[in-house]
């Protein structure tokens, strides 16, 4: 049949490449913040919405057009010019985007839809109400699911976490995803319960003495201070660096920070030890942390000088 009406190019409002580039633009902002900062979570929620819209539009731009009150947005998404007066293209709500992706993408399960709705819902509360929706939300509670959701959406478009996040953050994301799905790691809960039981059986004066000794030990040793999940005494985690050191010059001093991903934990009060990111994630100790060191500028740029006036700070946050 002869075709007399041909569509134009897909408009940017529905174009999967344009939506992906916008998601990429937003995700690049997270590197400016600590992974537990509310701004980090906010930018990630913006990136997730546009990544989800890009994945749905990649199936067909028509799928993100709002057709509730008019078919003009659908006509627009198909590359035609609507004749409707005062036309402005409208797209479906992000919750509907996630719902449709669950039905279309084989690996996009109900838990990914639920996470997407919750994470972007917090964003809406942050931007449209007086609620501080992301304040106090630990990165370990949402980042593994966030990266897993992104990985599935990216795969549907032939892209990877490395393409989207860069190699450094993609390596962290891969480790967080693997730790979150390690079912065997849940056995650590039994170890924590056992140490807690022994701890509570000790006389209160002995517990007080051990807690005081643990606080002194944690202060004097290198590592990142946390609360023990069994006895709540001060304990330490140690990790591997996951970012290059960042230097900042101020008032003649150079402050160098570097992000670490926890690998092992020790509490000298109750004797609990935990090895492995997946086991640490089960007990809420998998949050990234920053090591901070301060140098005199002259010393920093003259490494042959043996003077060392400052020590490691193990209480960065």
């Amino acid at each position: 049949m002869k075709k007399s009406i041909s569509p134009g190019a897909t408009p940017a409002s529905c174009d999967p490449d344009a939506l992906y580039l916008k998601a990429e633009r937003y995700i690049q902002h997270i590197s400016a913040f600590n992974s537990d900062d509310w701004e980090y979570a906010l930018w990630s929620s913006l990136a997730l919405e546009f990544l989800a819209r890009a994945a749905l539009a990649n199936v067909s731009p028509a799928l993100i057009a709002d057709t509730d009150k008019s078919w003009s947005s659908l006509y627009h998404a198909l590359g035609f010019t609507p004749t409707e007066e005062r036309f402005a293209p409208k797209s479906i709500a992000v919750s509907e985007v996630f719902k449709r992706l669950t039905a279309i993408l084989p690996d996009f399960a109900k838990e990914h839809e639920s996470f997407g709705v919750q994470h972007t819902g917090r964003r809406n509360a942050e931007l449209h109400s007086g609620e501080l929706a992301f304040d106090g939300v630990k990165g370990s509670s949402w980042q593994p699911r966030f990266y897993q959701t992104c990985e599935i959406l990216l795969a549907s478009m032939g892209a990877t976490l490395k393409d989207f996040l860069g190699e450094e953050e993609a390596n962290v994301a891969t480790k967080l995803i693997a730790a979150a799905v390690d079912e065997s790691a849940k056995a650590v809960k039994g170890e924590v319960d056992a140490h807690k039981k022994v701890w509570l059986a000790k006389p209160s004066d002995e517990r007080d003495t051990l807690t005081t000794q643990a606080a002194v030990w944690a202060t004097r040793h290198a590592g990142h201070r946390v609360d023990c999940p069994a006895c709540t005494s001060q304990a330490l985690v140690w990790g591997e660096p996951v970012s290059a050191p960042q230097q900042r010059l101020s008032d003649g001093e150079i402050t160098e920070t570097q992000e670490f991903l926890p690998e092992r934990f020790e509490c000298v009060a109750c004797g609990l030890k935990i090895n492995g990111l997946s086991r640490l994630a089960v007990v809420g100790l998998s949050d990234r942390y920053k090591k901070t060191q301060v140098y005199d500028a002259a010393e920093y740029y003259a490494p042959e000088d043996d003077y060392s006036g400052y020590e490691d700070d193990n209480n960065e946050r």
Side-chain angles (χ1 to χ4, degrees):
M1 179 181 293
K2 185 177 180 181
K3 196 170 185 178
S4 57
I5 302 176
S6 299
T10 302
S13 58
C14 308
D15 181 63
D17 290 332
L19 291 165
Y20 175 82
L21 289 174
K22 200 165 184 181
E24 202 173 57
R25 183 179 188 177
Y26 287 146
I27 202 67
Q28 289 173 355
H29 280 276
I30 67 172
S31 61
F33 304 99
N34 292 327
S35 59
D36 274 343
D37 288 348
W38 66 269
E39 295 100 325
Y40 187 101
L42 174 63
W43 284 109
S44 75
S45 69
L46 290 165
L48 179 61
E49 171 168 349
F50 282 92
L51 190 61
R53 290 187 182 278
L56 189 58
N58 193 49
V59 179
S60 172
L63 286 169
I64 63 172
D66 187 349
T67 57
D68 273 358
K69 296 182 179 178
S70 165
W71 58 279
S72 293
S73 291
L74 173 60
Y75 194 50
H76 170 77
L78 293 172
F80 296 100
T81 303
T83 57
E84 181 180 298
E85 293 181 354
R86 294 181 293 176
F87 170 74
K90 294 180 180 177
S91 57
I92 58 175
V94 68
S95 57
E96 182 64 20
V97 171
F98 288 120
K99 183 179 180 181
R100 294 185 185 188
L101 287 168
T102 306
I104 294 172
L105 303 181
D107 295 331
F108 200 83
K110 197 68 180 176
E111 57 263 33
H112 304 117
E113 177 191 347
S114 298
F115 170 77
V117 171
Q118 180 190 47
H119 203 54
T120 54
R122 277 187 176 142
R123 185 273 317 283
N124 291 340
E126 178 71 35
L127 297 180
H128 303 298
S129 77
E131 184 180 350
L132 303 176
F134 289 114
D135 281 32
V137 180
K138 295 182 69 174
S140 58
S141 68
W142 64 269
Q143 288 171 14
R145 183 68 77 192
F146 170 76
Y147 288 126
Q148 188 183 48
T149 304
C150 288
E151 188 174 43
I152 296 169
L153 296 175
L154 289 162
S156 75
M157 295 182 282
T160 65
L161 285 172
K162 184 178 176 181
D163 297 328
F164 188 54
L165 302 169
E167 185 171 4
E168 194 173 86
E169 185 64 17
N171 288 336
V172 175
T174 301
K175 290 178 180 178
L176 291 176
I177 293 170
V181 300
D182 184 0
E183 290 294 322
S184 65
K186 293 180 180 176
V188 74
K189 288 183 178 178
E191 297 175 30
V192 172
D193 289 341
H195 277 77
K196 185 182 294 184
K197 186 175 181 180
V198 172
W199 175 259
L200 293 176
K202 294 180 183 294
S204 61
D205 56 343
E206 183 180 352
R207 293 202 303 267
D208 291 343
T209 300
L210 289 170
T211 297
T212 301
Q213 291 173 344
V216 174
W217 173 82
T219 303
R220 293 179 176 175
H221 286 70
H224 181 65
R225 287 205 298 273
V226 295
D227 292 336
C228 175
C231 70
T232 70
S233 300
Q234 287 193 16
L236 292 175
V237 294
W238 297 268
E240 61 169 339
V242 293
S243 69
Q246 302 291 320
Q247 294 86 26
R248 178 172 52 84
L249 176 62
S250 178
D251 297 330
E253 290 184 335
I254 291 178
T255 301
E256 183 176 86
T257 58
Q258 187 173 23
E259 200 167 46
F260 286 71
L261 195 62
E263 283 188 322
R264 60 190 177 92
F265 161 90
E266 181 177 359
C267 173
V268 297
C270 69
L272 178 65
K273 295 181 181 179
I274 302 173
N275 290 313
L277 179 64
S278 58
R279 287 160 58 83
L280 292 171
V282 171
V283 294
L285 294 174
S286 62
D287 284 296
R288 283 178 268 185
Y289 65 92
K290 283 191 174 181
K291 179 180 179 180
T292 303
Q293 297 184 86
V294 180
Y295 302 92
D296 180 271
E299 175 204 1
Y300 189 87
Y301 289 111
E304 67 278 10
D305 188 348
D306 292 333
Y307 172 74
S308 56
Y310 301 90
E311 296 181 347
D312 290 358
D313 177 4
N314 68 350
N315 190 23
E316 304 81 9
R317 293 181 181 179

